[in-house]
Amino acid sequence: MPTLSLTPASRRRAPRARVPRRDAGRAHIAPLDGLRGAAVLGVLLFHAGLFSGGFLGVDLFFVLSGFLITGLLLREAGTTGTVGLARFLTRRARRLLPALAAMGVGTLLLTWASGSAVLLRLALDDAPWAAAQAANWHYIAERIGYWDASGTRVFSHLWSIAVEWQFYLLWPLVVALLARLRRPEHWTAAVSAAGALASLAAMLLLPHAVDTTRLYEGTDTRAAALLLGSLAATAPVRRALGRLHGRAADLACGALVCGLAAYWAVTDGEHSPSLFTGGLFLHALAAAALIALLAGSPDGHAGRILGAAPPRRLGELSYSLYLWHWPLYVLLPPETLGFGGWPRAVALIGLSLLAAALSTYLLENPVRHRASWTTGRTGALVLAAALAATAVLWTLLPRPPLGAGSVDISQLAVGAREVAAGPALPGHCAPA
């Protein structure tokens, strides 16, 4: 990060807004909100079947999370000499859990009201794992392929939320321990780099000949993106990248944006094996460099474009938008709507935006900003009531038997009569 040659008096007269914008620990740097918007838009289009590389938006989210969370932790450690683990987890819970709980309850009710028996049964089976922030390992253990079977699970997108929560549980403890050492930012940089390389090694060494879901959803193999974001938030890296400023930083940001966009355009999910032999790592590395540069020089051309109102507003809704879009996509397939392609994508993105806006402004923001009904005894009662209602809902919703809704008995009966009445159809085997 470049050093400002300001006298104490001139520093007091400098615009106060510019200082936090260059702070890695600040959560609302305008271009980074714009990156969130780009990330969630890529995911929305990918799940609509219109952008094969849009799933890389999840990786961009991971890098952003690592960068912002580590910046906050290091800033606290630098100010107080320690990290308040309980305070950190409380802030994370207030930020993330209300929207997640509301989406979970709403999705179960919508699935019960309009989904198939299969969808409801699987949703009820998956809900406890989603609540425990372990959905990714549940799907890995059950061999639910991300690329070919996730369409039967309304909570399948929560694998990435689980990875982030597992990071939130472990990484602050690591930073808290490193904060006790001399030069904690250097130690944090070293541990982040070593962890990212270990994660890359796990992805390269684990077998993936049949299915890449284990590599794609495993916390160990996906930690590289989070840790590269963490590395970019440390003082040594920020100082190194801070040597680029002005036009040079702007050109570097533009080149990285174009490179990432090109990679998203040519990547085709499971049909791009290079993803799992270093491609995801390089993508995360480029994203981490871009994020650090934008945080240090947010006023360049790239920063102004990404920080413009449309991508920034989309980024501010990105968490709830990510939560709500997938259940709506699953519950409203083209067969139900009567149309697909871009018209369906526009309709479902519009519904997702509506749900996200309601969640953000009616629930998330009041909880984050400690509205009166979310604090003290009232807040405790509201929390207890919400937990009780969620448990009762999960218990009382009728659990369809295994196989219900997946086989049409009448069609089986018709097929059996046809087989008994005539010869076998071409290409089929007659019963022995």
Side-chain angles (χ1 to χ4, degrees):
M1 181 176 293
T3 303
L4 298 177
S5 57
L6 296 171
T7 63
S10 63
R11 187 181 292 114
R12 286 193 296 271
R13 290 194 299 269
R16 296 181 62 189
R18 293 183 62 83
V19 175
R21 287 182 72 183
R22 296 175 183 271
D23 186 346
R26 184 168 172 81
H28 289 288
I29 302 169
L32 300 192
D33 280 336
L35 276 183
R36 284 195 189 100
V40 76
L41 182 59
V43 172
L44 293 173
L45 295 177
F46 168 71
H47 283 152
L50 299 173
F51 187 23
S52 63
F55 68 95
L56 290 167
V58 171
D59 291 70
L60 187 50
F61 277 128
F62 283 164
V63 181
L64 280 163
S65 293
F67 179 82
L68 295 169
I69 292 304
T70 303
L72 289 169
L73 294 171
L74 290 174
R75 185 174 62 177
E76 182 179 356
T79 302
T80 66
T82 186
V83 172
L85 297 176
R87 289 195 304 273
F88 171 80
L89 290 175
T90 299
R91 290 194 301 267
R92 287 288 84 196
R94 293 183 73 90
R95 170 67 183 92
L96 301 177
L97 293 186
L100 180 62
M103 183 279 301
V105 170
T107 296
L108 286 176
L109 289 172
L110 287 172
T111 306
W112 171 65
S114 62
S116 67
V118 172
L119 282 178
L120 179 59
R121 172 72 191 213
L122 295 177
L124 291 170
D125 289 345
D126 293 347
W129 296 96
Q133 304 300 341
N136 61 324
W137 292 111
H138 167 59
Y139 293 135
I140 290 169
E142 295 294 319
R143 298 183 179 180
I144 307 301
Y146 174 80
W147 307 102
D148 57 6
S150 60
T152 61
R153 310 272 177 152
V154 291
F155 294 132
S156 65
H157 63 315
L158 298 184
W159 74 269
S160 64
I161 305 298
V163 170
E164 291 208 18
W165 261 105
Q166 292 156 31
F167 174 76
Y168 296 152
L169 292 175
L170 294 175
W171 185 242
L173 179 60
V174 173
V175 176
L177 293 173
L178 296 175
R180 297 175 177 271
L181 304 176
R182 188 179 178 185
R183 305 179 76 184
E185 296 239 7
H186 288 76
W187 278 106
T188 302
V191 172
S192 298
L197 290 174
S199 177
L200 171 63
M203 181 169 283
L204 294 175
L205 295 175
L206 284 172
H208 57 278
V210 177
D211 183 20
T212 57
T213 299
R214 168 65 182 86
L215 303 182
Y216 191 68
E217 296 188 356
T219 309
D220 51 352
T221 51
R222 302 315 305 279
L226 290 153
L227 290 170
L228 287 171
S230 299
L231 177 62
T234 61
V237 173
R238 288 188 287 117
R239 278 197 297 266
L241 292 176
R243 296 190 181 100
L244 289 175
H245 53 88
R247 182 172 176 80
D250 204 26
L251 288 173
C253 287
L256 287 167
V257 168
C258 292
L260 289 169
Y263 193 59
W264 287 29
V266 301
T267 301
D268 188 17
E270 64 175 338
H271 302 298
S272 297
S274 63
L275 282 171
F276 307 99
T277 55
L280 286 171
F281 185 89
L282 293 176
H283 173 270
L285 184 63
L290 173 62
I291 290 165
L293 285 169
L294 287 172
S297 302
D299 297 324
H301 288 89
R304 288 199 298 271
I305 292 171
L306 287 167
R312 190 178 73 249
R313 297 303 181 200
L314 193 61
E316 290 169 356
L317 296 174
S318 61
Y319 177 60
S320 286
L321 191 52
Y322 180 82
L323 290 181
W324 277 103
H325 85 282
W326 180 248
L328 293 174
Y329 278 35
V330 173
L331 292 170
L332 295 172
E335 297 77 16
T336 298
L337 292 177
F339 54 88
W342 279 101
R344 174 175 176 263
V346 170
L348 291 183
I349 289 173
L351 283 175
S352 301
L353 281 168
L354 176 61
L358 292 174
S359 175
T360 298
Y361 297 117
L362 299 182
L363 179 61
E364 294 172 59
N365 285 349
V367 173
R368 286 177 66 193
H369 302 309
R370 297 181 177 271
S372 59
W373 60 269
T374 71
T375 60
R377 182 175 297 178
T378 303
L381 290 174
V382 170
L383 176 62
L387 291 174
T390 302
V392 168
L393 174 66
W394 182 78
T395 303
L396 295 183
L397 277 179
R399 191 172 254 91
L402 289 173
S406 60
V407 178
D408 189 334
I409 301 297
S410 63
Q411 292 300 314
L412 286 179
V414 170
R417 288 195 297 270
E418 290 176 350
V419 169
L425 296 173
H428 292 70
C429 294

